[in-house]
Amino acid sequence: MGSLEAMAKGSEARYLSDTQNLKIAQGVSGTVKDKGSVRRTVPYLAQAVKQGFQDLGVQDIPQARKALHTGTMRMECRTGAAQNEGGVHDLLTYEKKPW
């Protein structure tokens, strides 16, 4: 059971299908985007926040709140569909495998 990759790694023995000649996948394969310690990604996150504040024209959260409340900065509501269309779509990799 599971994906073809999982069956190739031995999961078929768990479901007693390792003796069958015909393998039928009953799952999907996924890709792990990032793996490891979060400590590697924190500096990138901190820099992204700094650049975001720079784009807004403020230096910190209190300044951003003040700009929002005084009207010098405006926020815009976007639907989930608009956010999906405006960004990178979810396709990481695609590989068509024959059955």
Side-chain angles (χ1 to χ4, degrees), residues 76-87:
E76 176 181 290
C77 293
R78 295 173 62 199
T79 64
Q83 291 177 21
N84 285 339
E85 285 299 316

Side-chain angles (χ1 to χ4, degrees), residues 6 12 24 33 45 75 81 84:
E12 70 241 2
I24 299 174
K33 260 180 136 174
L45 178 63
M75 297 192 79
N84 285 339

Side-chain angles (χ1 to χ4, degrees), residues 50-86:
K50 288 178 186 178
Q51 288 176 349
F53 281 147
Q54 184 178 9
D55 291 343
L56 294 174
V58 296
Q59 293 181 349
D60 53 18
I61 293 173
Q63 278 189 359
R65 290 178 63 99
K66 183 178 177 185
L68 184 62
H69 290 298
T70 59
T72 56
M73 178 175 66
R74 292 185 355 187
M75 297 192 79
E76 176 181 290
C77 293
R78 295 173 62 199
T79 64
Q83 291 177 21
N84 285 339
E85 285 299 316

Side-chain angles (χ1 to χ4, degrees), residues 19-41:
T19 58
Q20 297 175 351
N21 292 332
L22 181 62
K23 306 289 185 202
I24 299 174
Q26 294 182 345
V28 296
S29 296
T31 302
V32 177
K33 260 180 136 174
D34 294 312
K35 189 175 181 180
S37 174
V38 72
R39 291 175 191 246
R40 288 185 355 186
T41 59

